[in-house]
């Protein structure tokens, strides 16, 4: 059944690469990735979006995402970028709720619910991140933790709105640490998320939802993770900064 779902690999560049380096990385990825069944999304810093949108313009398997957006349409929010601005430079996706945004910028479920609404209103598809810290996993509360994140930020949506979303499960203890969740841990959570979505929106919406795993995905572990029935791809941080590694991960399905 899972083959009906969109397979996605998204590269979250975080705060890396100068303008020139960003162009070089995007061009390198384009050159190495001539064909794939997987939807590949590049999520560079804001300042790269326009130039990379030009680079990947006509390539059907490559799309552009931002790493964040503001909840307001426009206004006096110094330093912020709105969803409609992102659309206007060719973005079709936006990462929301990344654990680094939650931790360093105080983003909580109530704020994320507003950002999700803004993104959907302006035609951006959110890649909504969820995931537990180590102490929550050690206390075996990880499923309840993620359930609360989804309920607080997403479950106000109508089913047709929710159907535009992709969820990325990123256990915080696995991000940038080199400590990946085992394929079994990822599968357990992904199946639990799909069940939560089924309970809320019905089996069909749940079945169609792409759920990505993120947290130290590398060329040498992607295959095993992506082989899990409920893992529909990955959100890649560190390994998305080297074209060779990123493309190897894309080809791991
Ligand atoms: P990582 O980051 O691949 O470097 O662990 C993943 C993420 O934060 O999206």
């Amino acid at each position: 059944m899972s083959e009906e779902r969109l397979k996605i690999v998204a590269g979250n560049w975080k705060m890396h690469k100068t303008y020139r380096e960003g162009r070089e990385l995007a061009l390198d990825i384009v050159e190495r990735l001539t064909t794939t069944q997987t939807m590949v999304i590049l999520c560079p810093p804001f300042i790269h979006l326009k130039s990379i949108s030009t680079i990947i313009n006509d390539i059907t398997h490559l799309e552009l995402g931002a790493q964040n957006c503001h909840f307001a349409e426009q206004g006096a929010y110094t330093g912020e970028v709105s969803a409609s601005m992102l659309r206007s430079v060719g973005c079709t996706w936006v990462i929301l709720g990344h654990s680094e945004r939650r931790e360093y910028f105080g983003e909580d479920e109530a704020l994320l619910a507003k950002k999700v609404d803004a993104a959907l209103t302006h035609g951006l598809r959110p890649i909504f991140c969820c995931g537990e810290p180590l102490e929550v996993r050690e206390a075996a509360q990880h499923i309840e933790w993620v359930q609360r994140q989804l309920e607080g930020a997403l479950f106000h949506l109508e089913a047709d709105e929710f159907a535009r979303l992709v969820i990325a499960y990123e256990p915080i203890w696995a991000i940038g640490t080199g400590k990946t969740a085992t394929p079994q841990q990822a599968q357990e959570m992904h199946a639990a998320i799909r069940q939560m979505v089924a309970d809320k929106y019905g089996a069909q919406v749940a079945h169609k939802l792409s759920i990505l795993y993120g947290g130290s995905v590398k060329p040498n572990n992607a295959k095993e993770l992506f082989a899990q029935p409920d893992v529909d791809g990955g959100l890649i941080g560190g390994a998305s900064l080297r074209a060779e590694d990123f493309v190897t991960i894309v080809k791991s399905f």
Side-chain angles (χ1 to χ4, degrees), residues 103-115:
E103 182 179 351
Y104 306 130
F105 302 95
E107 298 194 1
D108 61 8
E109 271 31 90
L111 176 73
L112 291 169
K114 294 205 281 181
K115 291 191 175 204

PDB file of all heavy atoms in Angstrom, residues 103-115:
ATOM      1  N   GLU A 103      13.204  25.320  20.236  1.00  0.00           N
ATOM      2  CA  GLU A 103      14.116  25.514  21.365  1.00  0.00           C
ATOM      3  C   GLU A 103      14.701  26.926  21.415  1.00  0.00           C
ATOM      4  O   GLU A 103      14.707  27.564  22.465  1.00  0.00           O
ATOM      5  CB  GLU A 103      15.253  24.490  21.289  1.00  0.00           C
ATOM      6  CG  GLU A 103      16.201  24.627  22.479  1.00  0.00           C
ATOM      7  CD  GLU A 103      17.334  23.623  22.495  1.00  0.00           C
ATOM      8  OE1 GLU A 103      17.318  22.690  21.664  1.00  0.00           O
ATOM      9  OE2 GLU A 103      18.238  23.783  23.341  1.00  0.00           O
ATOM     10  N   TYR A 104      15.206  27.424  20.281  1.00  0.00           N
ATOM     11  CA  TYR A 104      15.934  28.705  20.314  1.00  0.00           C
ATOM     12  C   TYR A 104      15.041  29.910  20.082  1.00  0.00           C
ATOM     13  O   TYR A 104      15.443  31.039  20.332  1.00  0.00           O
ATOM     14  CB  TYR A 104      17.057  28.710  19.271  1.00  0.00           C
ATOM     15  CG  TYR A 104      18.007  27.539  19.401  1.00  0.00           C
ATOM     16  CD1 TYR A 104      18.336  26.757  18.296  1.00  0.00           C
ATOM     17  CD2 TYR A 104      18.570  27.208  20.634  1.00  0.00           C
ATOM     18  CE1 TYR A 104      19.191  25.673  18.407  1.00  0.00           C
ATOM     19  CE2 TYR A 104      19.423  26.128  20.754  1.00  0.00           C
ATOM     20  CZ  TYR A 104      19.733  25.359  19.630  1.00  0.00           C
ATOM     21  OH  TYR A 104      20.576  24.293  19.755  1.00  0.00           O
ATOM     22  N   PHE A 105      13.859  29.689  19.516  1.00  0.00           N
ATOM     23  CA  PHE A 105      12.993  30.825  19.201  1.00  0.00           C
ATOM     24  C   PHE A 105      11.635  30.710  19.882  1.00  0.00           C
ATOM     25  O   PHE A 105      10.702  31.431  19.534  1.00  0.00           O
ATOM     26  CB  PHE A 105      12.853  30.966  17.671  1.00  0.00           C
ATOM     27  CG  PHE A 105      14.195  31.155  17.002  1.00  0.00           C
ATOM     28  CD1 PHE A 105      14.885  30.071  16.471  1.00  0.00           C
ATOM     29  CD2 PHE A 105      14.787  32.409  16.950  1.00  0.00           C
ATOM     30  CE1 PHE A 105      16.142  30.232  15.888  1.00  0.00           C
ATOM     31  CE2 PHE A 105      16.038  32.579  16.364  1.00  0.00           C
ATOM     32  CZ  PHE A 105      16.720  31.491  15.837  1.00  0.00           C
ATOM     33  N   GLY A 106      11.545  29.799  20.815  1.00  0.00           N
ATOM     34  CA  GLY A 106      10.358  29.712  21.661  1.00  0.00           C
ATOM     35  C   GLY A 106       9.069  29.378  20.936  1.00  0.00           C
ATOM     36  O   GLY A 106       7.987  29.772  21.372  1.00  0.00           O
ATOM     37  N   GLU A 107       9.139  28.683  19.814  1.00  0.00           N
ATOM     38  CA  GLU A 107       7.912  28.381  19.077  1.00  0.00           C
ATOM     39  C   GLU A 107       7.146  27.249  19.774  1.00  0.00           C
ATOM     40  O   GLU A 107       7.711  26.210  20.086  1.00  0.00           O
ATOM     41  CB  GLU A 107       8.256  28.015  17.625  1.00  0.00           C
ATOM     42  CG  GLU A 107       8.921  29.169  16.893  1.00  0.00           C
ATOM     43  CD  GLU A 107       8.971  29.002  15.379  1.00  0.00           C
ATOM     44  OE1 GLU A 107       8.470  27.988  14.856  1.00  0.00           O
ATOM     45  OE2 GLU A 107       9.517  29.901  14.725  1.00  0.00           O
ATOM     46  N   ASP A 108       5.879  27.511  20.009  1.00  0.00           N
ATOM     47  CA  ASP A 108       5.061  26.475  20.648  1.00  0.00           C
ATOM     48  C   ASP A 108       3.884  26.101  19.737  1.00  0.00           C
ATOM     49  O   ASP A 108       3.730  26.655  18.646  1.00  0.00           O
ATOM     50  CB  ASP A 108       4.577  26.936  22.026  1.00  0.00           C
ATOM     51  CG  ASP A 108       3.705  28.190  21.922  1.00  0.00           C
ATOM     52  OD1 ASP A 108       3.356  28.607  20.791  1.00  0.00           O
ATOM     53  OD2 ASP A 108       3.383  28.754  22.981  1.00  0.00           O
ATOM     54  N   GLU A 109       3.079  25.193  20.212  1.00  0.00           N
ATOM     55  CA  GLU A 109       1.994  24.653  19.377  1.00  0.00           C
ATOM     56  C   GLU A 109       1.032  25.751  18.923  1.00  0.00           C
ATOM     57  O   GLU A 109       0.592  25.753  17.781  1.00  0.00           O
ATOM     58  CB  GLU A 109       1.222  23.587  20.156  1.00  0.00           C
ATOM     59  CG  GLU A 109       1.710  22.156  20.062  1.00  0.00           C
ATOM     60  CD  GLU A 109       3.179  21.928  19.862  1.00  0.00           C
ATOM     61  OE1 GLU A 109       3.932  21.807  20.830  1.00  0.00           O
ATOM     62  OE2 GLU A 109       3.588  21.845  18.695  1.00  0.00           O
ATOM     63  N   ALA A 110       0.717  26.695  19.827  1.00  0.00           N
ATOM     64  CA  ALA A 110      -0.251  27.740  19.474  1.00  0.00           C
ATOM     65  C   ALA A 110       0.287  28.615  18.336  1.00  0.00           C
ATOM     66  O   ALA A 110      -0.425  28.933  17.384  1.00  0.00           O
ATOM     67  CB  ALA A 110      -0.557  28.600  20.696  1.00  0.00           C
ATOM     68  N   LEU A 111       1.565  28.962  18.415  1.00  0.00           N
ATOM     69  CA  LEU A 111       2.175  29.765  17.346  1.00  0.00           C
ATOM     70  C   LEU A 111       2.257  28.944  16.056  1.00  0.00           C
ATOM     71  O   LEU A 111       1.963  29.445  14.962  1.00  0.00           O
ATOM     72  CB  LEU A 111       3.582  30.199  17.769  1.00  0.00           C
ATOM     73  CG  LEU A 111       4.366  30.968  16.712  1.00  0.00           C
ATOM     74  CD1 LEU A 111       3.835  32.384  16.549  1.00  0.00           C
ATOM     75  CD2 LEU A 111       5.859  31.007  17.043  1.00  0.00           C
ATOM     76  N   LEU A 112       2.635  27.684  16.187  1.00  0.00           N
ATOM     77  CA  LEU A 112       2.784  26.840  14.999  1.00  0.00           C
ATOM     78  C   LEU A 112       1.450  26.628  14.299  1.00  0.00           C
ATOM     79  O   LEU A 112       1.395  26.557  13.068  1.00  0.00           O
ATOM     80  CB  LEU A 112       3.441  25.506  15.372  1.00  0.00           C
ATOM     81  CG  LEU A 112       4.915  25.671  15.770  1.00  0.00           C
ATOM     82  CD1 LEU A 112       5.459  24.396  16.396  1.00  0.00           C
ATOM     83  CD2 LEU A 112       5.753  26.070  14.559  1.00  0.00           C
ATOM     84  N   ALA A 113       0.383  26.540  15.072  1.00  0.00           N
ATOM     85  CA  ALA A 113      -0.946  26.403  14.450  1.00  0.00           C
ATOM     86  C   ALA A 113      -1.206  27.605  13.537  1.00  0.00           C
ATOM     87  O   ALA A 113      -1.714  27.457  12.424  1.00  0.00           O
ATOM     88  CB  ALA A 113      -2.019  26.301  15.531  1.00  0.00           C
ATOM     89  N   LYS A 114      -0.814  28.796  13.984  1.00  0.00           N
ATOM     90  CA  LYS A 114      -1.025  30.001  13.159  1.00  0.00           C
ATOM     91  C   LYS A 114      -0.123  29.996  11.922  1.00  0.00           C
ATOM     92  O   LYS A 114      -0.517  30.422  10.841  1.00  0.00           O
ATOM     93  CB  LYS A 114      -0.757  31.269  13.990  1.00  0.00           C
ATOM     94  CG  LYS A 114      -1.764  31.458  15.123  1.00  0.00           C
ATOM     95  CD  LYS A 114      -1.889  32.915  15.539  1.00  0.00           C
ATOM     96  CE  LYS A 114      -0.768  33.360  16.435  1.00  0.00           C
ATOM     97  NZ  LYS A 114      -0.922  34.782  16.848  1.00  0.00           N
ATOM     98  N   LYS A 115       1.104  29.510  12.094  1.00  0.00           N
ATOM     99  CA  LYS A 115       2.012  29.441  10.939  1.00  0.00           C
ATOM    100  C   LYS A 115       1.517  28.421   9.912  1.00  0.00           C
ATOM    101  O   LYS A 115       1.598  28.655   8.703  1.00  0.00           O
ATOM    102  CB  LYS A 115       3.422  29.066  11.405  1.00  0.00           C
ATOM    103  CG  LYS A 115       4.100  30.159  12.219  1.00  0.00           C
ATOM    104  CD  LYS A 115       5.569  29.848  12.428  1.00  0.00           C
ATOM    105  CE  LYS A 115       6.265  31.017  13.132  1.00  0.00           C
ATOM    106  NZ  LYS A 115       7.702  31.044  12.881  1.00  0.00           N
TER     107      LYS A 115
END
